[in-house]
Amino acid sequence: MANEDLSSKVAINDPLTDPTQKAIIDQIIEENKTRPGATMVVLNELQANIGFVSEEMQQYVAEKLQVPVSRVHGVISFYSFFTTTPRGKHTVKFCMGTACYVGGTPALIEKAKQILGVEPGQTTPDGNITVEVCRCVGACSQAPVIVIDDEVIGRMKPNRLPQELKKIQIVTE
Ligand code: FES
């Protein structure tokens, strides 16, 4: 039973099993496969149009472009703007610029981990919140800064984090 649940979840998360998304993926590959640097161009377009590049998509791209899958993996892991899982509905970013880092970002990330159970680069299992780190957002005088969706929130403290996250969390009890 548990296995069945898992496989249906994986299928939902795999754009290659969705006819509309697969058509988009095929079109992107078709339009770009003969360009110089096709691997990078295709992956970039997939990230922009599908929102992430799953393991299955990476294998599919490698097959279609006839390049080693290790090269595709290499590109995906080298550039931080690629994500391999669907993004959450909301995004919480922690500024890792010097002022924020020194001002306490690591403690904020630790607190977020306790509250949400995920680390930067991951999304909560309910698909609601993606946690990320980011570069300086230009609000250093208010360090440490977090960005929830598009809202920059300065002078953040670990004990203030729960109330900020509550605004976007799905309450299930
Ligand atoms: S270092 Fe965080 S806003 Fe500049």
Side-chain angles (χ1 to χ4, degrees), residues 95-101 105 134-145:
C95 178
M96 287 296 258
T98 309
C100 290
Y101 185 84
T105 295
C134 64
R135 295 190 183 168
C136 174
V137 296
C140 312
S141 63
Q142 298 176 49
V145 163

Side-chain angles (χ1 to χ4, degrees), residues 103-119:
T105 295
L108 293 174
I109 292 176
E110 199 46 51
K111 184 73 180 177
K113 226 188 278 179
Q114 286 168 19
I115 300 170
L116 301 173
V118 291
E119 314 210 5

Side-chain angles (χ1 to χ4, degrees), residues 1-172:
M1 275 311 247
N3 276 348
E4 259 172 50
D5 287 341
L6 190 64
S7 58
S8 61
K9 225 181 218 161
V10 169
I12 289 165
N13 284 339
D14 179 6
L16 287 168
T17 61
D18 176 315
T20 316
Q21 292 200 304
K22 180 157 185 304
I24 297 172
I25 294 169
D26 283 335
Q27 192 187 344
I28 289 171
I29 294 172
E30 199 49 42
E31 280 174 1
N32 297 292
K33 67 180 182 192
T34 55
R35 299 179 107 174
T39 308
M40 183 67 192
V41 176
V42 166
L43 294 175
N44 218 351
E45 287 291 307
L46 291 177
Q47 176 71 41
N49 288 280
I50 305 289
F52 63 105
V53 190
S54 67
E55 187 66 35
E56 293 81 5
M57 287 161 71
Q58 293 175 46
Q59 281 179 13
Y60 189 70
V61 168
E63 254 168 55
K64 292 278 176 187
L65 296 183
Q66 299 184 330
V67 296
V69 73
S70 57
R71 191 193 302 175
V72 177
H73 285 160
V75 172
I76 295 287
S77 48
F78 187 78
Y79 296 99
S80 59
F81 54 82
F82 287 119
T83 48
T84 55
T85 50
R87 301 178 65 82
K89 213 167 131 217
H90 300 283
T91 309
V92 181
K93 293 186 198 149
F94 292 85
C95 178
M96 287 296 258
T98 309
C100 290
Y101 185 84
V102 172
T105 295
L108 293 174
I109 292 176
E110 199 46 51
K111 184 73 180 177
K113 226 188 278 179
Q114 286 168 19
I115 300 170
L116 301 173
V118 291
E119 314 210 5
Q122 297 178 334
T123 299
T124 52
D126 60 5
N128 188 43
I129 302 174
T130 297
V131 175
E132 288 180 344
V133 293
C134 64
R135 295 190 183 168
C136 174
V137 296
C140 312
S141 63
Q142 298 176 49
V145 163
I146 67 168
V147 185
I148 297 186
D149 295 331
D150 287 329
E151 190 191 353
V152 175
I153 307 168
R155 300 189 218 292
M156 185 47 59
K157 293 200 164 40
N159 62 8
R160 257 183 65 207
L161 200 55
Q163 96 198 40
E164 294 297 339
L165 291 178
K166 231 173 232 146
K167 294 178 191 166
I168 53 169
Q169 273 175 298
I170 297 172
V171 183
T172 47

